[in-house]
Amino acid sequence: MALPDFLIAGVPKAGTTALHTALRQHPELYLPTIKEPKFFLTDGPPPERGGPGDVETYREHVWRLEEYEALFADAPAGALTGESTPFYLYDAGARRRIRSLVPDVRIIVTLRDPVERAHSNWTHLWSAGLEPIGDLVRACEAEPERVAAGWSHFWHYVGLGRYGEQLADLFELFPREQVLVFRYRDVVDRPAETLDRICAFLGVRQGLLTEVPRRNVTAHPAPGARHAVLSTLARRLPALARPIEGLLQHRGEARRPLSWERRQRLIPYFAEDVALLQRVTGEDFGDWLRPRERSGGLVGVRPPGQRQSRNGRRGR
């Protein structure tokens, strides 16, 4: 069977699109053009309901085994194959499906300050006109209701950032030597070193990749009447969501950093899990519970001509 040798399994809004793009340039690696096939998220067809925009995203899932295998059919002889679906770490069912089908797979995980990750996640959906709540703190408060209503993983701003419990379970399923965990700030601050670390983990030549492109940079449209009207249309008329997203993000400002006051409102969601993460990994993540010196991430004004990345299969 043509199945992946490695997976970029987490986490959303932690540079997985940029890493996928960078690793595709390595001659000994093969990653398909489709990012986030999401194959391991279901045992069959994806759900038929969810939050704003979810149904359209579900139609892009590659969920049939033969279609998933076809993603890797063109890999050159001897190349290692991989794919990037950053929800695999979060989804308990996915972790077990991976263990069942590809028990020897190597797993790559990038961890980002969970408050920053949630903020970037919320901004992504706000900038697409899909997030109806114009405040991250209130959106996090609404998460239990959204989860109960079947909204997809990308709406789980808090849940996605509880890495301690996710990794603890992952290490029950896979030997630690099959899992590479590093911080998003390493991707941002030390791209060449981080890419070499990934290549060493995969057993391919180092020194060939030196840059991580600025991909999936999130614009932050200002709130107001224009955003309210366009976002309402995007949620009610899914067929028009993509062009409306372009209008919302046109000349959008860079994502604005969270104030310490707002970080303080969100840190309690993650404090206990950060302690668990430290026990699981043996590393110090205490900086995630303090004020930040910078907002973090591949932020700033979006490169000219770039739009929010769209993942999964097209036209289905």
Side-chain angles (χ1 to χ4, degrees):
M1 294 191 295
L3 292 170
D5 298 298
F6 67 93
L7 299 168
I8 300 176
V11 299
K13 308 308 296 183
T16 55
T17 300
L19 279 178
H20 179 94
T21 303
L23 293 176
R24 290 193 75 229
Q25 308 308 308
H26 197 291
E28 298 172 32
L29 301 177
Y30 180 86
L31 292 89
T33 55
I34 293 177
K35 179 181 177 285
E36 296 192 26
K38 303 182 177 73
F39 173 74
F40 290 103
L41 294 184
T42 62
D43 281 316
E48 296 182 350
R49 66 182 184 91
D54 284 350
V55 173
E56 286 67 36
T57 298
Y58 289 147
R59 291 173 182 152
E60 298 168 351
H61 284 210
V62 179
W63 58 271
R64 295 180 177 87
L65 179 59
E66 62 272 19
E67 294 181 354
Y68 186 62
E69 291 181 305
L71 296 180
F72 311 104
D74 294 332
L80 294 181
T81 59
E83 62 109 328
S84 309
T85 298
F87 298 101
Y88 289 159
L89 178 66
Y90 175 60
D91 190 290
R95 297 192 293 265
R96 281 150 181 79
R97 294 181 194 102
I98 293 167
R99 177 67 179 81
S100 176
L101 192 61
V102 281
D104 296 325
V105 74
R106 291 187 174 269
I107 299 172
I108 299 168
V109 175
T110 313
L111 301 182
R112 182 177 187 177
D113 175 328
V115 174
E116 280 292 315
R117 196 221 65 80
H119 187 211
S120 181
N121 193 159
W122 171 86
T123 307
H124 181 125
L125 290 166
W126 171 261
S127 72
L130 298 176
E131 172 56 75
I133 299 178
D135 174 77
L136 173 59
V137 173
R138 290 193 294 112
C140 289
E141 292 170 352
E143 184 165 322
E145 296 176 8
R146 292 175 169 187
V147 173
W151 290 29
S152 72
H153 292 345
F154 201 44
W155 295 95
H156 302 186
Y157 304 143
V158 173
L160 282 165
R162 288 180 172 149
Y163 317 130
E165 59 189 44
Q166 296 162 27
L167 282 173
D169 183 68
L170 187 73
F171 290 143
E172 291 291 326
L173 300 171
F174 294 90
R176 294 198 178 212
E177 58 266 25
Q178 283 182 225
V179 182
L180 176 64
V181 179
F182 54 91
R183 289 192 182 212
Y184 180 42
R185 70 183 186 190
D186 295 332
V187 178
V188 177
D189 294 341
R190 295 175 290 278
E193 178 183 326
T194 302
L195 290 168
D196 273 350
R197 187 178 174 193
I198 294 171
C199 290
F201 171 69
L202 296 177
V204 298
R205 279 183 292 168
Q206 301 175 50
L208 301 183
L209 305 177
T210 59
E211 296 182 355
V212 175
R214 293 181 70 235
R215 292 295 178 90
N216 215 15
V217 179
T218 303
H220 193 158
R226 181 176 182 274
H227 186 280
V229 171
L230 288 174
S231 59
T232 298
L233 289 173
R235 293 191 293 272
R236 292 181 178 177
L237 302 171
L240 298 179
R242 191 63 175 166
I244 290 173
E245 177 183 322
L247 291 173
L248 283 168
Q249 297 177 6
H250 180 61
R251 296 180 180 176
E253 299 177 0
R255 181 168 60 89
R256 294 181 285 279
L258 284 171
S259 67
W260 172 231
E261 184 273 331
R262 301 200 75 66
R263 276 187 64 81
Q264 285 180 301
R265 298 276 300 277
L266 296 169
I267 284 173
Y269 284 115
F270 305 106
E272 185 175 341
D273 185 79
V274 168
L276 173 60
L277 177 64
Q278 294 182 144
R279 294 195 299 273
V280 168
T281 64
E283 298 183 24
D284 181 12
F285 292 91
D287 57 294
W288 287 352
L289 306 180
R290 299 191 292 267
R292 290 191 62 93
E293 296 178 357
R294 60 180 185 177
S295 63
L298 298 170
V299 298
V301 177
R302 178 177 293 180
Q306 189 177 116
R307 299 180 67 177
Q308 198 76 55
S309 293
R310 188 177 178 198
N311 302 308
R313 175 176 50 185
R314 298 290 159 271
R316 296 294 291 266

